[in-house]
Amino acid sequence: MRVVLRPLFEAELPADFEEVIRSKLMGIEVRTGEDIEVNLLGKPLRFKVLLAEPSPLKVKGNTRIEFSRGGIEVVDFEFDEPVREVIPFEGGFVVVLERKVLILNHNGQKIYSDEFDDLKGVRASKGTVVIIHGGSKIRLVKP
């Protein structure tokens, strides 16, 4: 569970600021795309929620808080196994791992996930993802 925030103010953020913001957001539900406000020393600080994974997300003590810096939005993903392929399509993109297929929207939120014993390939066209598996089977996913 993580939240990526972009500050909507101009200031250098001190080290360990993530801990301060996590404590202020504890128990609050956040959603990808919304603006939130945190009061710190009597002053409101506004942030844009670039990613809440999952969305909505209730912030807890183990929620990872990250900050995006500058005008460019950057969100990093890390998987437990090597990425075989990434396929863009109209609804987002498909990440193909050794046995697993993840479909993510353009904000990086998981739309679909499943594991296959014999994953042969994945194709995407407009709003449909085709998963080829088990030798003679296909699965159509329309997120």
Side-chain angles (χ1 to χ4, degrees), residues 5-14 17-25 28 30 34-49 67:
L5 301 172
R6 180 178 59 199
L8 298 177
F9 54 88
E10 293 296 322
E12 189 69 30
L13 300 179
F17 195 61
E18 295 88 358
E19 296 295 324
V20 173
I21 296 302
R22 180 181 12 263
S23 69
K24 293 290 186 177
L25 293 176
I28 296 175
V30 295
E34 74 178 356
D35 290 351
I36 60 171
E37 193 172 282
V38 175
N39 284 313
L40 190 63
L41 300 174
K43 298 203 181 220
L45 300 177
R46 294 182 47 77
F47 296 90
K48 173 85 170 178
V49 180
F67 295 106

Side-chain angles (χ1 to χ4, degrees), residues 1-138:
M1 296 186 309
R2 71 178 175 153
V3 176
V4 180
L5 301 172
R6 180 178 59 199
L8 298 177
F9 54 88
E10 293 296 322
E12 189 69 30
L13 300 179
D16 295 332
F17 195 61
E18 295 88 358
E19 296 295 324
V20 173
I21 296 302
R22 180 181 12 263
S23 69
K24 293 290 186 177
L25 293 176
M26 198 80 72
I28 296 175
E29 193 172 85
V30 295
R31 288 178 169 74
T32 299
E34 74 178 356
D35 290 351
I36 60 171
E37 193 172 282
V38 175
N39 284 313
L40 190 63
L41 300 174
K43 298 203 181 220
L45 300 177
R46 294 182 47 77
F47 296 90
K48 173 85 170 178
V49 180
L50 299 179
L51 176 68
E53 189 177 52
S55 184
L57 167 76
K58 192 170 210 169
V59 178
K60 298 178 184 173
N62 64 346
T63 303
R64 198 165 86 213
I65 304 291
E66 300 174 13
F67 295 106
S68 173
R69 291 168 175 56
I72 299 174
E73 294 180 16
V74 176
V75 180
D76 292 322
F77 293 90
E78 187 173 335
F79 299 98
D80 294 335
E81 55 187 283
V83 175
R84 284 182 20 193
E85 189 175 12
V86 176
I87 305 166
F89 76 108
E90 191 175 273
F93 53 97
V94 182
V95 179
V96 182
L97 306 173
E98 191 63 35
R99 295 182 56 223
K100 192 171 190 175
V101 175
L102 296 166
I103 300 176
L104 308 173
N105 68 15
H106 290 288
N107 291 324
Q109 296 170 314
K110 182 170 46 174
I111 299 171
Y112 171 85
S113 172
D114 204 355
E115 285 193 27
F116 299 88
D117 289 331
D118 191 17
L119 182 61
K120 298 289 187 188
V122 179
R123 304 288 184 271
S125 174
K126 294 197 179 198
T128 303
V129 176
V130 180
I131 302 167
I132 307 158
H133 66 99
S136 62
K137 299 177 187 175
I138 66 169

